[in-house]
Amino acid sequence: MGFWKNRRPPVRRRVPLAERVASVVVLMLLAGVALAIAVLGARGDAGRFTVDPALMAAATSSAPDLSMHLPQWLPAVAAAPTAPAPAEPPAADDPYADHETAAPADQLDLAAGGLAPIGPREHYDADTLYEKINGQAGTYMAQGFESLRCRSYGVPGGGPLLEVFLYDMGTPQGAQGMMALERDPAGEPLDFARGYRSGGAHFIVADRYYAQLLPTEDSEQARTAADLLARELAGRLPADDQAEAGPPLPTAGQLPNTIQYFPTDAHGLDFMKDVHEADYLRGKATLRFFMMKPADEAAARDAYDRYLEFCRQFGTVAAERKLAGARLFEADNFGFWKIVYQRGAEVGGVNDAEDRAAAVAMVEEYLGGQ
């Protein structure tokens, strides 16, 4: 064992001729490849790597715009200028084409204060709204949203940018309800339109339209530019009588900027439509009072009966009685109280209150005072 362990392996003294010839051939092939690459690189056809304008035009006309799907933290990339498309007649389903308070085609061609539009108007409908205001589209849809037009403006010579959003909410109630949902409690009322300003941003309601003017910075220059543009836009919106649309909610104890409007599915119930609500302070309790006025008394009775049946199925009806010409019930739903009445063509009450006594007292006071 020791002999084989210490024995050194044999060493070749001579490389066979065949291996030497193969090595020379491989080296020559490598040298030839290197020479070919050098020659082709020096004499290449650059035209092979240029873009065919015809193919590019065809691809551009059919390719979808993916810019809205890029992460918002990526820097914006300016698009190459293109020739303006020829004017076309409005489509048959254009929401502005046949409405009596239709927004004119040049509604967003504003120029107050020397501001200049940046790019064309944008248009979004119920299927594409999420592309512009992802995360908020559902709230607008619940208020009756129909369409959005928007456009960006810039100050000549540089400065803050400003974007104008013009929402068609379908009804005056939807427009008012949406502004109420987003309203800044510290906002300053406007003296030229129904709405308010918050910093440099302006918010306006007129008829079925809800407009927002949003500058990119809160500076004196931006505020001045936004105010001038807001005044011009307000003059182009439909006439507004400054009256709140919808049924009158109680005013005593109403908390500011809490009015909401639900065109459908209020309280998660498909028969609760065109419902107005607001918050009220009663002692230490904050109560949510709601009201809807169906087409007639029969429709109101039907809504009340269906609400009562819902509360019997998913809670406990603690009391049902008549008061001041109204039907009234009190129901406990998972620890929250619903006090609902129906009188004539009106259904209302307090929804999901923690304080039963305060909720009952508010409804009784309202019915007794009407």
Side-chain angles (χ1 to χ4, degrees):
M1 293 294 294
F3 171 79
W4 291 106
K5 181 178 181 180
N6 297 323
R7 184 182 180 185
R8 297 178 62 188
V11 178
R12 292 197 304 174
R13 301 294 183 181
R14 182 172 177 274
V15 178
L17 177 62
E19 292 186 14
R20 285 184 286 169
V21 172
S23 300
V24 172
V25 171
V26 169
L27 290 175
M28 293 178 65
L29 288 174
L30 291 174
V33 170
L35 178 61
I37 292 174
V39 172
L40 291 175
R43 302 168 60 183
D45 181 7
R48 297 175 61 187
F49 303 99
T50 59
V51 178
D52 186 333
L55 293 177
M56 176 59 75
T60 303
S61 63
S62 61
D65 181 7
L66 302 181
S67 61
M68 298 305 301
H69 302 284
L70 294 175
Q72 295 184 358
W73 48 264
L74 287 177
V77 179
T82 57
E88 298 181 359
D93 59 351
D94 187 339
Y96 295 127
D98 57 358
H99 193 272
E100 61 182 359
T101 56
D106 64 347
Q107 184 112 27
L108 294 183
D109 291 340
L110 306 173
L115 293 173
I118 302 175
R121 290 184 299 272
E122 301 173 38
H123 179 264
Y124 302 89
D125 58 20
D127 295 327
T128 58
L129 180 61
Y130 75 94
E131 297 177 4
K132 188 65 175 180
I133 57 169
N134 193 18
Q136 297 177 285
T139 303
Y140 278 81
M141 296 296 294
Q143 295 292 317
F145 167 85
E146 291 194 1
S147 67
L148 164 65
R149 292 180 182 240
C150 50
R151 198 168 196 183
S152 297
Y153 294 83
V155 177
L161 300 178
L162 186 145
E163 190 163 15
V164 178
F165 292 72
L166 183 60
Y167 293 92
D168 181 350
M169 298 302 299
T171 64
Q173 295 93 330
Q176 294 169 24
M178 198 63 238
M179 186 170 72
L181 280 174
E182 298 184 331
R183 191 179 187 104
D184 177 6
E188 175 188 355
L190 299 176
D191 59 1
F192 57 87
R194 183 139 57 96
Y196 68 98
R197 62 169 60 87
S198 177
H202 289 60
F203 304 85
I204 299 172
V205 162
D207 195 72
R208 59 191 280 168
Y209 300 105
Y210 173 41
Q212 303 171 345
L213 295 91
L214 309 177
T216 57
E217 63 181 55
D218 186 12
S219 64
E220 188 63 32
Q221 184 184 23
R223 291 188 182 205
T224 300
D227 190 74
L228 291 172
L229 215 62
R231 291 174 183 273
E232 181 181 4
L233 178 60
R236 297 188 176 196
L237 294 176
D240 193 280
D241 60 6
Q242 301 294 312
E244 290 292 336
L249 290 165
T251 56
Q254 186 183 113
L255 297 178
N257 307 320
T258 60
I259 295 177
Q260 289 182 262
Y261 169 69
F262 299 91
T264 60
D265 300 329
H267 309 169
L269 304 173
D270 60 3
F271 56 86
M272 295 293 289
K273 301 177 181 180
D274 294 326
V275 175
H276 290 73
E277 299 185 354
D279 289 340
Y280 295 80
L281 187 63
R282 304 282 298 191
K284 295 183 179 180
T286 299
L287 306 176
R288 188 74 173 167
F289 190 92
F290 71 93
M291 184 187 299
M292 76 171 188
K293 290 192 174 184
D296 52 39
E297 184 173 350
R301 286 198 304 267
D302 179 69
Y304 174 89
D305 290 340
R306 294 176 69 178
Y307 211 144
L308 177 60
E309 182 60 26
F310 169 82
C311 290
R312 283 173 174 161
Q313 291 184 11
F314 299 97
T316 302
V317 176
E320 185 179 5
R321 54 198 169 95
K322 292 184 178 180
L323 175 67
R327 294 192 297 165
L328 175 72
F329 73 81
E330 305 170 25
D332 179 1
N333 285 81
F334 306 103
F336 295 92
W337 288 91
K338 297 178 183 292
I339 317 299
V340 181
Y341 72 87
Q342 177 261 318
R343 182 168 59 183
E346 179 178 306
V347 178
V350 173
N351 183 46
D352 290 346
E354 296 183 2
D355 190 329
R356 176 185 182 181
V360 170
M362 180 177 183
V363 174
E364 289 180 344
E365 180 181 319
Y366 170 78
L367 292 174
Q370 296 298 309

